[in-house]
Each structure stands twice: as C-alpha cells, then as structure tokens.
Amino acid sequence: KVLVVGAGVFGLSTALHLSKRGYAVHLFDYQPYHENGYAYSAGCDGASCDENKILRASYGNAKLYQDLALDRAMPEWQRWNELLSKTPAGQLPPGVTPDVPLWNNCGYLRLSQSGLEQSEVETQANFPKEIRHTQYRISDAGRRRDAEAEGVASAKIDPFGRLEKGLPTDGVLDMTGGFVLASRACAFALHLCHQAGVEAHLGAPHGLKRLMRHGQAITGIVTNDGREHHGDLVVLACGGWTPSLLPEIERLVETTAGSVLSIRLPQDRKDLWDRYSPERFPVWTWNMYGYERRGRDIGGLYGLPRTPEGVVKIAFRGAKWTNYSVQSQSSGNRLSYPKTDVGEIPEEAMRVIKTFCEENLPDLLELEL
C-alpha cells in the first residue's frame, strides 16, 4: 500500500504507474483538483497548475534526461493525444476536450547572440543520428532552406526578425520539442488515475497535517481531518513545500521562484493570434546561460506560443528568488517557502523581460503584462 502526498505532475505520474504495476495507491492533496481542473485561475497554486510547460530532449550532457524524453516521455505523450482524441467529451474531466491535444510538437528554438552555447554543442553531439535532420542551425542559410522545404514555417526560424534586421543571432530550431498544456494534462492524468484504480483523497480535509513515524521509519500520514492513514511506503511529491515537510532534506533541497509573465491577447487582434499561434511560433529560449545581474547582457529568458485561450507566456530564469518566511520545527533554521499569491515579479526580472521585448517582441509591450 502506497500513500502519495501531492497530486501534481510527479504525484500523478507516480500514482498512475504504481497502480498499473499492481500496487494499492492512495493519492492525497488539499486541493479539490477533481472540481477545479488544476486551473491557476481557480486558486490552484502548485507549479504543475500552469498554462503550459516546455517538453524537450535537449539536456546537454545529461543523457539520462535526453533518453527519458526521446524514448519514454514523447511516445507516451503522443499516445495520450491519441487516447484523448478518441474519448467522448462527456467522459472527460472539466477543462479537457478531445479536440485540443495535450502535447504540441511546435518546435523549440534555442537562441544566443553569437555562436552556440556550450549546452547546445553538447546536445547536438549527444542527439542520435536518426533525429539530426530535425535540427536546423539558423545561421546556416542551407539549413534554413531545408527547414522551409520540409514544411517548417519560416516564422519559426526567425520569430523575432533578428536575421531579417541583421542583428547578431545564432542557435538551433529543434523540431523534436514543443510544449504540453500543463493544467489540462494534469486533469487528464487524474482521470487516468481514477481509471487505473487509484483512490484519490482530494480537498482541504485530505491535506497533509503531519507524517506518522515509528523510530526512523515513516509509517503513514495524518490528514487535516484527523484521520490516520497507514502505508508501506509514503511518497512526498509536494514540490516547493517538501523541504518544510521533511526535516531530513531541508539542507539538501531549497525552494526557489522563477518569474513568469502572462499576456492575454485581445480577441480582436487577429494579427497577434496568428503570429503567436503554435503553427507559426515556437517555444524559445534566449541566451539561457548569458544573464549578468544588472548587466548589459540580457539572457536567461524563455517563452511559449499562445494557448488555445490566447495567453502568451514569457519567463525569466537567469536568477531565482527565495522566501525565508518559515522556521523549521526540527532545526530552527529558516526555510524558503512558496509564496503563491504574488501579483507582481521582481524589478530585475521585469527589467530583463522588458529590455528583451523592446528589441524583439515590441507588440507585446502594448498589452497588459
């Protein structure tokens, strides 16, 4: 009997696959995900509750991640797309429809100002030969022609118009990558968990109150309603809350925050809906390892095409932030803890994003960030 605490992407995946292997699995979360569909707008505050997330195999020399993505994850996402498309709408959870795929293979453009970043050199060296044809070096006119000949939209090669303007730029358009619609994917995964026999305990009474211990062993959990749940194994999949729940790891794992801006495209701006559609606009990164604090070099940025609802996301992860607002009941150390009700981002993150947009995406600065 396995107790999985946390019904985000890691908890869901763990519960689903253990259940398929014959384990009795109980899944706990204080969020009523079966009712709110993992929607951020409905108060869901886990990192999994998001418009979209990048799906990639480009991990430099981290070949384990590359192989998991190419050989295991991407084929499974494709299978989920096919399964979803064949499921009657009336049998699906709220917010999930058979006509909108979860995984969109729109391409992943990794850009830098000059030359390839070291991680890109490593990625290209590690990618198997059979997918090398999906990698287009944008500074190579021959490969740009190859991309267009093979049906890749020209706008995906130069979405910021830097080549057209003669601005310094280099990089690779990787047509194995793209994005998944994160909240929808979690809602569908919860649906699959129910089908696989996972017993889900969702909502405020079922949140974790404390772990049950016997000597060095964790024997179960107590939920907010006071009930004890015993298990042979307890899996904590609580994202940024995990260090505050398990004192043994508080010196090993630290909670940090990135900075994400969402821009909702006006319904009457068909030009923007077309420009930022996944058919014409890729997932992208810019100078991912080139950020200097308050320096002239702008980097550590990424973004995604618009969602079906017309939301474009731009994010900065060149620097992360901590929030030491909780004290460990075990050690007395101050711990970084998720702060999920923030309606603004740090000034430095906004400076980097705005500086980038002024040169590359000025039409988004006209809209509410």
Side-chain angles (χ1 to χ4, degrees), residues 158 243 341:
D158 191 23
D341 59 349

Side-chain angles (χ1 to χ4, degrees), residues 1 3 28 210 212 220-223 225-230:
K1 182 180 178 181
L3 312 182
F28 296 84
R210 64 179 175 86
M212 294 167 56
I221 67 171
V222 178
T223 46
D225 57 7
R227 292 184 60 193
E228 294 185 354
H229 305 266
H230 296 268

Side-chain angles (χ1 to χ4, degrees), residues 211-346:
L211 298 170
M212 294 167 56
R213 295 174 180 264
H214 182 75
Q216 293 296 309
I218 305 286
T219 58
I221 67 171
V222 178
T223 46
N224 289 334
D225 57 7
R227 292 184 60 193
E228 294 185 354
H229 305 266
H230 296 268
D232 300 297
L233 179 68
V234 176
V235 178
L236 279 186
C238 299
W241 286 267
T242 305
S244 62
L245 299 174
L246 192 64
E248 287 86 346
I249 67 163
E250 64 183 41
R251 291 178 62 85
L252 301 174
V253 180
E254 184 177 54
T255 299
T256 63
S259 303
V260 181
L261 285 180
S262 294
I263 301 112
R264 186 170 294 277
L265 303 179
Q267 290 286 347
D268 60 355
R269 290 294 303 272
K270 185 178 182 302
D271 58 327
L272 297 181
W273 280 71
D274 288 346
R275 179 185 178 185
Y276 292 105
S277 71
E279 291 75 29
R280 297 177 53 80
F281 200 80
V283 171
W284 58 271
T285 59
W286 174 257
N287 279 354
M288 207 55 188
Y289 303 98
Y291 166 71
E292 293 181 6
R293 187 164 184 255
R294 300 197 181 279
R296 295 179 61 188
D297 289 337
I298 297 299
L301 290 154
Y302 70 92
L304 297 98
R306 66 162 173 80
T307 65
E309 296 78 26
V311 175
V312 174
K313 206 167 79 175
I314 300 180
F316 170 64
R317 58 175 299 158
K320 294 291 192 73
W321 278 262
T322 48
N323 174 43
Y324 288 96
S325 60
V326 167
Q327 190 167 21
S328 168
Q329 295 181 358
S330 173
S331 66
N333 294 330
R334 294 187 70 78
L335 303 177
S336 184
Y337 191 79
K339 183 174 176 60
T340 60
D341 59 349
V342 181
E344 53 194 20
I345 66 172

Side-chain angles (χ1 to χ4, degrees), residues 143-173:
R143 289 301 285 150
R144 295 201 299 269
R145 288 192 296 271
D146 291 342
E148 292 192 45
E150 288 160 23
V152 177
S154 59
K156 290 186 177 183
I157 295 283
D158 191 23
F160 308 135
R162 295 186 66 85
L163 293 172
E164 186 181 346
K165 298 170 189 171
L167 296 172
T169 186
D170 201 353
V172 172
L173 175 62

Side-chain angles (χ1 to χ4, degrees), residues 68-275:
L68 281 171
L70 288 175
D71 302 335
R72 303 294 293 278
M74 288 172 175
E76 185 74 352
W77 280 112
Q78 188 58 41
R79 190 182 73 81
W80 279 21
N81 273 359
E82 293 165 4
L83 178 61
L84 176 60
S85 70
K86 296 173 183 175
T87 304
Q91 297 178 17
L92 292 169
V96 181
T97 56
D99 58 317
V100 179
L102 301 172
W103 151 232
N104 192 309
N105 184 200
C106 66
Y108 181 17
L109 180 64
R110 298 182 289 274
L111 294 173
S112 53
Q113 209 149 4
S114 61
L116 299 182
E117 294 186 307
Q118 181 59 31
S119 63
E120 188 63 46
V121 174
E122 294 165 356
T123 290
Q124 294 303 317
N126 285 321
F127 266 4
K129 290 181 181 177
E130 57 267 26
I131 67 167
R132 296 262 174 92
H133 67 284
T134 65
Q135 309 296 298
Y136 302 99
R137 180 90 179 252
I138 68 157
S139 59
D140 182 334
R143 289 301 285 150
R144 295 201 299 269
R145 288 192 296 271
D146 291 342
E148 292 192 45
E150 288 160 23
V152 177
S154 59
K156 290 186 177 183
I157 295 283
D158 191 23
F160 308 135
R162 295 186 66 85
L163 293 172
E164 186 181 346
K165 298 170 189 171
L167 296 172
T169 186
D170 201 353
V172 172
L173 175 62
D174 170 7
M175 288 307 295
T176 68
F179 67 89
V180 294
L181 295 172
S183 290
R184 291 182 187 226
C186 286
F188 188 63
L190 180 60
H191 168 73
L192 296 180
C193 281
H194 288 309
Q195 290 186 336
V198 173
E199 192 166 331
H201 309 263
L202 304 175
H206 308 293
L208 174 66
K209 185 175 183 180
R210 64 179 175 86
L211 298 170
M212 294 167 56
R213 295 174 180 264
H214 182 75
Q216 293 296 309
I218 305 286
T219 58
I221 67 171
V222 178
T223 46
N224 289 334
D225 57 7
R227 292 184 60 193
E228 294 185 354
H229 305 266
H230 296 268
D232 300 297
L233 179 68
V234 176
V235 178
L236 279 186
C238 299
W241 286 267
T242 305
S244 62
L245 299 174
L246 192 64
E248 287 86 346
I249 67 163
E250 64 183 41
R251 291 178 62 85
L252 301 174
V253 180
E254 184 177 54
T255 299
T256 63
S259 303
V260 181
L261 285 180
S262 294
I263 301 112
R264 186 170 294 277
L265 303 179
Q267 290 286 347
D268 60 355
R269 290 294 303 272
K270 185 178 182 302
D271 58 327
L272 297 181
W273 280 71
D274 288 346
R275 179 185 178 185

